Amino acid sequence: MNSSWHAFAKQISYSDHCASTVPEATLNVYTLASMPLSEYQAGYYTGGGNIPGLSSSSKSNSFSFHVSDVYKTNHDGVLKVEANLRFGISGYDYYYGGGYRYGQAHLEATPERAAYVPRRRAKSLITFRLEGDSLNLDVVLKLNNVSTSAKITSLFTGILESLSTPDDKNYFDAISILMFPKRNYKYSLVSGKLSNGKSNLPLGLAPQSQSFCSAFRNLGRALYLNYAPDCSPVKICTPISGPSGYLPPVMSLDGIGCSEGERKMRVLLRFSNDSDFWYYGKFDPNSTLVGEAMWDRNKNRLQIKACQINLAGSFSTARVEDCSVHIELMFPAVWSIRERDGILGHLWSEKSRKELSYFPDITLQGTESSFWKFPDLKYNYTEIERVRKLCPVKTDLKSGRERYPNWYSQDMRFNMLVKDSEGKIGSGYSYPLFVDNQMYDQYGYSMSVSRTENFAIDTSSTSSSNARFNISYHIDFTGPQHVKGKSKNALYNQSWSSNDQVEISAEGVYDAETGELCMVGCKSVISTGKKRANTSLDCEIVIRLQFPPLSKRRQDHIVGTIESTRKSSDPLHFERLNVTSDSPYEEEVRRSILGMDIELSLCLASNTFLCIFIGLQILHVRRHPEVLPFISIAMLVILTLGHAIPLVLNFEALFLNDRNRQHISLGSGQWLEMNEVLVRVATMIAFLMQFRLLQLSWAARKKDGVGAGLWFQEKKALIVSLLLYGIGALAAIIFSWRSHSNDTDGQSFSILGGLKCYAGLILDGFLLPQILLNVFRNSSERALSGSFYLGMTLVRLLPHGYDLYRTRTYSSQFYGSYIYGTPDRDFYSTAWDVVIPLGGLVFAAVIFLQQQFCGACFLPKRFRNSVAYQKVPAAVDDVPA
């Protein structure tokens, strides 16, 4: 069943439900009009019980109202509106174009007719249909307070009601809706000069010109609140309503409208216990303030005045009131290892202490800000001398032999795993903040051309004196789950779970000639349910990381340690944490993408040559039809299956259009999907030609007087081949089991996987049945053309030669993307890549000797058959093409 709701037109009487409020009017389909509602208007809802998906447990209570057309009617001030109403049922819903949608179902509706009267009530009849169940929902939508302009107190509210009776299966509970108007908004709270307020914040930074809206639209996803120390359960300490003593630790600031020219913005201030609620949480008016923000050019601060939302029972009766909340935010101009708050601020009430809704001042701090929007931000290194003592410069450097990541490149940021001495593992992320005095952009948005051009700089040309760079980092990870109680392995000597977050602010020195990064850090643990603002720092930490060279010949991963420099008796001491990361380098990714392109070309070339070599063999047997019966049927069956099985496995990719298939653009501009289809088409052609060759040989064997003796020799060769294949299969299973038992990467042993690789080995030695047939016949017929057995051998052995090159060029973590010489379809290793080609060439040499002399020519004389098989004359009929 499709998880979306769509509307369809149904004749419901407008006059029965809406004419009493908005008179029915005749539509003028040739005259369009405009409406105060924006073309795309976001909002929130509550209610809707009995509709599948619209339950109180849904992760989202958002919806959108999309106006498609507005028409004039024969009554002045009455308009017909056609719109779509879309409810976010589950997952996450982004209202701006190009947003990412995950796990979302929705309701859509198109009204049969609707009417609009300025400053009155708009009503529309909407019907819904659930695809799959054909469930019809007859509803009426009523919107209130829709006007031609809006201000801070304006809210579009309404209700969506079912027209079915309560005992009808299509009946549902009423849905109350709430929207913040967007069109023709007039700022009123911050229209003039704001008061100086109570804040004693220092002068901060200003965003780049023409970047006010982009810098502040999602300014603070997690602003942490620090309340007055004398707050108690019986005292009001927050600007929002809630249970007695409720002190939400986190506030988010989200822009819902912005004016770049005026440098003003409409904001929603949402309070919660969870720092991720801005992404996961529902909209709750009781814990939300709506306000206006204005940039103070004199003090470089963001001034905000906000109001409470009074539901008065439901969303449909909500109103904005009590605009006495004032907020000031500033953006520090200098960061250090101990001071890295991207946002600082105050939140206070403009009411007197005696008034009912007064609350004490609240301080705010936040680390997540768009700091690249503030180009004047500086960093003050305070621990570099300490770093140089902890990590002195090595004198036995072999500089110039390897190239390491450029200090400004995106290779300096990486995902990581953190493992303690007990084997517990946490995961996290690290990225630079500053390199020397220049800001590092972890997203690569605003790096200058001069810096990006140096990503692949050859450090062999850099002297030791200027290859070491001061660098500051942000490191965070979720800690391993430790046992409860006092454990020396537990950070802060406490019990903490995998949900707790460890943050480390670090600074130190990066050596671009050796790839060594040494830093000291200040660590804080944000335990579940605790306030971030009250966490303390432990600055007795040293971090040592070793980046692998860009070639990754000697080392595949970033490795390092996080250690405490405190004595083991210190309660803040913790044992060493080992850090690893397999994040790929940019240059490595480019090489791997190029490698994929090369492998596609090799696949296409290999299959093309297969077609050529098979075609030459068919041409050979047409010129010499007498040799057809002497070609091994078992060999041809092996080769035919070798082409058929990949086609069967990829049948859907070749003939069907998979809607979920993604196009991957390669560096050369070719499309991976297109090349895959070309490869499979070539494989199909090779299969058909190979099958034709098998058909010709089979038909020649079945002719009278030709196949009787040959079938007996074929059976003998087949029995020996199967015996050898069985012994080899057992050996392959044992080898695969022993290889996996010695692995430390956690991969499980698979008999099927070992047999798949062994099947590839059988294809590599496809000449074995032909060799055995020639031995038992002891004849010298040239059944195979030289281009066939030598060319087919080279095509089968080329992947092993390429694998030798590949293992020395690309990182092992990209093996999963290989499409030529895939490790799960044959045996690939340095040893196998030498043994298998040598074996294949030996088989080709044996065929050459057999066809030059006799089938048993390479055996000792006492093993040769004393009587050669009598050649049977072939039929004179031409072999069919």
Side-chain angles (χ1 to χ4, degrees):
M1 183 183 69
N2 194 308
S3 60
S4 63
W5 295 71
H6 292 280
F8 68 98
K10 181 178 180 180
Q11 296 299 322
I12 301 175
S13 173
Y14 179 87
S15 59
D16 291 345
H17 303 283
C18 297
S20 60
T21 304
V22 179
E24 189 170 6
T26 303
L27 170 66
N28 187 344
V29 295
Y30 302 104
T31 307
L32 296 177
S34 60
M35 186 177 179
L37 280 171
S38 299
E39 183 178 350
Y40 194 88
Q41 177 75 53
Y44 307 93
Y45 73 91
T46 184
N50 305 331
I51 297 181
L54 287 182
S55 64
S56 58
S57 60
S58 298
K59 292 182 178 179
S60 172
N61 65 336
S62 60
F63 76 89
S64 64
F65 189 82
H66 177 69
V67 178
S68 55
D69 289 300
V70 181
Y71 300 96
K72 290 184 177 180
T73 66
N74 60 343
H75 288 183
D76 293 338
V78 177
L79 306 174
K80 176 182 177 180
V81 180
E82 294 182 355
N84 295 325
L85 186 61
R86 181 173 185 167
F87 289 84
I89 292 180
S90 61
Y92 319 116
D93 198 350
Y94 288 78
Y95 292 115
Y96 300 102
Y100 176 69
R101 300 182 183 274
Y102 174 77
Q104 175 183 282
H106 59 271
L107 288 163
E108 290 184 356
T110 304
E112 178 197 2
R113 65 172 67 200
Y116 163 70
V117 176
R119 295 181 178 84
R120 292 184 65 185
R121 176 177 295 178
K123 297 186 179 182
S124 57
L125 292 180
I126 308 176
T127 57
F128 295 94
R129 173 177 175 267
L130 176 61
E131 291 186 356
D133 286 352
S134 299
L135 178 63
N136 299 330
L137 302 180
D138 300 334
V139 302
V140 57
L141 172 65
K142 305 173 184 178
L143 290 180
N144 303 317
N145 307 318
V146 180
S147 59
T148 55
S149 63
K151 57 183 180 179
I152 187 64
T153 57
S154 300
L155 291 176
F156 293 166
T157 60
I159 189 169
L160 184 69
E161 296 177 309
S162 173
L163 297 180
S164 303
T165 59
D167 57 349
D168 193 300
K169 67 176 182 178
N170 295 332
Y171 175 82
F172 62 90
D173 297 336
I175 299 175
S176 297
I177 60 179
L178 168 66
M179 293 184 283
F180 297 96
K182 296 171 60 177
R183 177 169 289 183
N184 299 328
Y185 185 84
K186 296 181 180 180
Y187 290 90
S188 57
L189 289 182
V190 294
S191 58
K193 183 178 179 181
L194 294 177
S195 62
N196 292 330
K198 304 178 181 180
S199 177
N200 57 355
L201 296 172
L203 184 66
L205 296 175
Q208 296 176 353
S209 59
Q210 302 303 315
S211 64
F212 173 80
C213 293
S214 60
F216 296 143
R217 178 172 287 119
N218 297 111
L219 172 64
R221 294 176 177 175
L223 295 174
Y224 297 92
L225 310 178
N226 192 14
Y227 295 93
D230 59 344
C231 282
S232 64
V234 297
K235 187 176 181 180
I236 297 177
C237 291
T238 70
I240 62 172
S241 59
S244 178
Y246 174 59
L247 300 176
V250 185
M251 181 189 80
S252 76
L253 189 153
D254 300 306
I256 58 174
C258 188
S259 172
E260 185 71 50
E262 296 180 281
R263 289 206 163 192
K264 295 179 180 179
M265 181 175 62
R266 298 174 64 204
V267 296
L268 286 181
L269 308 173
R270 302 171 63 186
F271 296 78
S272 175
N273 285 323
D274 188 353
S275 60
D276 290 329
F277 75 99
W278 66 272
Y279 192 78
Y280 297 102
K282 284 187 173 184
F283 172 78
D284 180 8
N286 290 323
S287 60
T288 304
L289 303 178
V290 59
E292 297 177 357
M294 180 181 70
W295 182 252
D296 188 336
R297 299 175 185 268
N298 297 324
K299 297 182 179 181
N300 283 349
R301 299 178 187 175
L302 190 67
Q303 301 270 9
I304 304 173
K305 293 201 67 175
C307 313
Q308 295 180 345
I309 303 175
N310 186 346
L311 284 184
S314 68
F315 280 23
S316 60
T317 57
R319 61 179 182 269
V320 175
E321 58 187 19
D322 191 3
C323 300
S324 61
V325 179
H326 198 147
I327 302 173
E328 278 189 342
L329 300 178
M330 61 83 63
F331 309 90
V334 180
W335 285 6
S336 67
I337 192 172
R338 290 175 174 82
E339 300 292 339
R340 290 193 179 178
D341 290 321
I343 306 172
L344 294 175
H346 284 173
L347 186 155
W348 71 90
S349 173
E350 294 182 337
K351 292 187 176 183
S352 65
R353 293 177 179 269
K354 297 181 180 181
E355 293 184 80
L356 180 62
S357 56
Y358 169 83
F359 59 89
D361 295 359
I362 302 171
T363 60
L364 304 92
Q365 64 183 91
T367 58
E368 295 189 17
S369 66
S370 304
F371 60 88
W372 59 86
K373 298 291 185 180
F374 301 89
D376 296 329
L377 180 62
K378 303 298 181 184
Y379 190 89
N380 181 26
Y381 295 92
T382 59
E383 302 289 340
I384 295 301
E385 290 301 322
R386 183 178 163 209
V387 172
R388 289 172 179 169
K389 293 179 181 179
L390 290 171
C391 305
V393 179
K394 296 181 180 179
T395 57
D396 58 341
L397 300 179
K398 299 179 180 179
S399 62
R401 295 189 179 183
E402 292 284 2
R403 295 170 58 239
Y404 291 90
N406 179 272
W407 43 97
Y408 280 119
S409 73
Q410 297 296 291
D411 298 330
M412 299 300 292
R413 58 185 176 92
F414 53 90
N415 297 312
M416 65 181 188
L417 295 178
V418 179
K419 185 177 181 179
D420 65 12
S421 59
E422 296 179 354
K424 306 296 184 179
I425 297 177
S427 61
Y429 186 69
S430 300
Y431 58 89
L433 296 175
F434 283 82
V435 179
D436 281 343
N437 293 320
Q438 297 194 45
M439 188 186 304
Y440 178 92
D441 184 0
Q442 60 165 319
Y443 301 108
Y445 292 155
S446 59
M447 282 192 173
S448 63
V449 176
S450 62
R451 277 185 270 170
T452 56
E453 289 177 347
N454 291 330
F455 277 3
I457 239 179
D458 191 346
T459 55
S460 62
S461 62
T462 307
S463 64
S464 298
S465 59
N466 58 12
R468 292 170 61 85
F469 298 87
N470 295 339
I471 193 168
S472 63
Y473 258 83
H474 175 84
I475 303 172
D476 66 71
F477 57 92
T478 55
Q481 185 173 1
H482 291 270
V483 295
K484 292 185 177 181
K486 295 183 177 180
S487 170
K488 290 194 300 182
N489 297 315
L491 297 183
Y492 281 142
N493 199 23
Q494 65 180 3
S495 169
W496 56 299
S497 70
S498 58
N499 292 326
D500 295 336
Q501 183 178 6
V502 180
E503 292 187 357
I504 300 177
S505 57
E507 66 178 48
V509 177
Y510 172 67
D511 193 327
E513 287 189 339
T514 63
E516 294 181 356
L517 174 62
C518 181
M519 301 181 292
V520 296
C522 292
K523 171 178 61 64
S524 62
V525 177
I526 307 171
S527 298
T528 304
K530 290 192 175 182
K531 301 177 183 178
R532 184 187 186 281
N534 294 330
T535 57
S536 57
L537 295 176
D538 174 14
C539 294
E540 299 298 323
I541 295 173
V542 60
I543 302 108
R544 295 182 176 92
L545 298 174
Q546 176 64 58
F547 286 82
L550 294 178
S551 63
K552 290 197 174 181
R553 292 189 180 94
R554 296 184 302 175
Q555 177 184 338
D556 286 337
H557 304 85
I558 300 173
V559 295
T561 59
I562 300 175
E563 300 178 74
S564 174
T565 59
R566 298 178 183 271
K567 295 181 180 180
S568 58
S569 59
D570 194 303
L572 295 182
H573 172 81
F574 60 91
E575 292 188 2
R576 175 185 298 177
L577 299 174
N578 294 312
V579 177
T580 59
S581 172
D582 59 356
S583 295
Y585 287 158
E586 284 190 338
E587 183 174 320
E588 185 182 10
V589 172
R590 287 194 294 267
R591 287 201 307 265
S592 297
I593 293 177
L594 178 61
M596 292 174 64
D597 201 6
I598 292 174
E599 292 184 13
L600 278 171
S601 301
L602 287 174
C603 279
L604 186 58
S606 296
N607 283 280
T608 302
F609 278 114
L610 285 177
C611 296
I612 294 174
F613 297 143
I614 298 171
L616 291 175
Q617 176 66 20
I618 293 176
L619 182 62
H620 172 73
V621 298
R622 292 192 62 184
R623 292 176 178 175
H624 307 281
E626 69 278 3
V627 303
L628 258 178
F630 307 110
I631 301 177
S632 171
I633 298 296
M635 179 193 70
L636 295 180
V637 169
I638 290 174
L639 290 174
T640 304
L641 290 177
H643 296 303
I645 293 176
L647 287 175
V648 173
L649 296 177
N650 296 288
F651 181 83
E652 181 180 358
L654 182 62
F655 294 104
L656 301 180
N657 180 21
D658 187 354
R659 295 183 179 180
N660 295 324
R661 188 175 185 83
Q662 295 182 354
H663 298 274
I664 303 175
S665 179
L666 302 180
S668 63
Q670 295 175 312
W671 289 94
L672 178 59
E673 183 180 8
M674 181 188 303
N675 278 355
E676 284 181 337
V677 171
L678 291 176
V679 167
R680 291 179 182 121
V681 168
T683 304
M684 172 65 78
I685 296 174
F687 164 73
L688 294 176
M689 296 179 68
Q690 190 71 64
F691 185 79
R692 177 57 175 165
L693 183 60
L694 173 62
Q695 183 186 29
L696 293 175
S697 182
W698 187 281
R701 285 275 186 97
K702 295 186 68 175
K703 290 185 178 180
D704 294 339
V706 176
L710 285 173
W711 281 118
F712 176 72
Q713 304 295 345
E714 181 80 41
K715 290 178 181 178
K716 291 170 62 177
L718 180 61
I719 291 173
V720 175
S721 298
L722 292 177
L723 179 62
L724 294 176
Y725 290 154
I727 296 173
L730 181 61
I733 293 174
I734 296 175
F735 173 79
S736 179
W737 173 74
R738 294 189 62 182
S739 298
H740 283 83
S741 64
N742 295 328
D743 282 349
T744 59
D745 56 5
Q747 293 183 357
S748 59
F749 167 68
S750 171
I751 295 179
L752 180 60
L755 293 178
K756 285 174 62 178
C757 293
Y758 185 65
L761 182 62
I762 292 176
L763 274 173
D764 292 337
F766 70 95
L767 289 174
L768 178 61
Q770 184 68 49
I771 292 174
L772 294 175
L773 179 62
N774 292 342
V775 168
F776 290 122
R777 291 186 57 254
N778 197 21
S779 63
S780 58
E781 284 85 0
R782 297 187 177 182
L784 304 180
S785 66
S787 58
F788 178 76
Y789 67 81
L790 184 59
M792 297 284 285
T793 298
L794 292 177
V795 168
R796 286 298 311 173
L797 302 184
L798 181 61
H800 294 279
Y802 176 75
D803 185 63
L804 288 173
Y805 161 78
R806 178 173 60 192
T807 55
R808 287 161 176 76
T809 305
Y810 308 126
S811 172
S812 59
Q813 62 187 293
F814 285 93
Y815 279 4
S817 64
Y818 290 153
I819 54 179
Y820 182 71
T822 53
D824 62 342
R825 295 185 183 179
D826 206 337
F827 292 109
Y828 290 96
S829 67
T830 302
W832 281 114
D833 290 340
V834 174
V835 172
I836 292 177
L838 287 177
L841 292 176
V842 168
F843 278 9
V846 170
I847 291 291
F848 173 77
L849 293 175
Q850 287 179 328
Q851 296 189 162
Q852 286 292 116
F853 303 103
C854 66
C857 65
F858 61 93
L859 297 178
K861 290 185 178 181
R862 59 178 177 172
F863 293 110
R864 297 179 187 177
N865 203 349
S866 58
V867 181
Y869 189 90
Q870 183 178 359
K871 183 181 295 186
V872 180
V876 297
D877 297 339
D878 290 338
V879 176

